[in-house]
Amino acid sequence: MLESAATLFENRKIMLKRLKKKSYEKYMKEFRSQYDMTFLEMTTYMDSQEDKEKAAKDIADAFIQSVKNGFEKRGKISSVTQFDLNLFMIYYVFPAITMTYHEEAKRINDVLCASWGEQLKGAKIGYSDYDTLYNSFNEKILGIF
């Protein structure tokens, strides 16, 4: 399950660079259409399990293991890479899970967020939904940009 979750991050540098409201909207649409099956895999697994808390923990563990396999070098993820992964989780992964509108999406995000902080050094993060993040962007600051 989720063996290829690390591939979600393959375009992270492009998708995080000079992020603005319009580019965030465009990148999120592309991200969701490209990786919809990964999020469907998560929600389908949740539906198939009786113990929802354990299922969410299984998803988080599999997801994080895939990320570790994809980004660790000599047993560590560099601090620069970890910073990018954290931002990508906040801006894309957590909102995309929320946007599945699955009844267990919040539980998946809560457990994934907590596990991310526990299992990865320098990865204590929070999350928000897409609309909150999207509305936090300003196209112009004091009319300058």
Side-chain angles (χ1 to χ4, degrees), residues 5-52:
T7 61
L8 271 67
F9 300 88
E10 63 190 359
N11 293 323
R12 72 185 182 284
K13 292 196 183 295
I14 294 166
M15 294 171 70
L16 291 171
K17 190 175 184 177
R18 295 188 185 142
L19 202 52
K20 302 240 181 186
K21 198 171 201 166
K22 279 188 177 185
S23 60
Y24 180 55
E25 180 179 24
K26 174 185 169 237
Y27 290 147
M28 179 56 90
K29 283 180 184 174
E30 290 171 3
F31 178 73
R32 288 185 61 222
S33 69
Q34 186 172 0
Y35 297 108
D36 187 47
M37 291 306 296
T38 301
F39 303 113
L40 180 62
E41 184 179 357
M42 291 178 182
T43 57
T44 301
Y45 183 75
M46 288 296 286
D47 289 340
S48 71
Q49 301 299 306
E50 292 272 329
D51 185 345
K52 301 302 184 190

Side-chain angles (χ1 to χ4, degrees), residues 7-9 20 39 53 99 101 117 129 140-141:
T7 61
L8 271 67
F9 300 88
K20 302 240 181 186
F39 303 113
E53 197 64 29
M99 292 171 82
Y101 302 106
D129 62 82
K140 295 182 179 185
I141 300 172

Side-chain angles (χ1 to χ4, degrees), residues 84-118:
D84 285 351
L85 296 176
N86 292 347
L87 282 178
F88 199 83
M89 288 291 291
I90 294 165
Y91 279 105
Y92 293 99
V93 177
F94 291 124
I97 293 169
T98 302
M99 292 171 82
T100 64
Y101 302 106
H102 189 272
E103 63 187 27
E104 296 293 338
K106 182 175 179 355
R107 185 189 313 256
I108 295 169
N109 275 344
D110 288 344
V111 173
L112 180 56
C113 187
S115 296
W116 187 263
E118 292 166 5

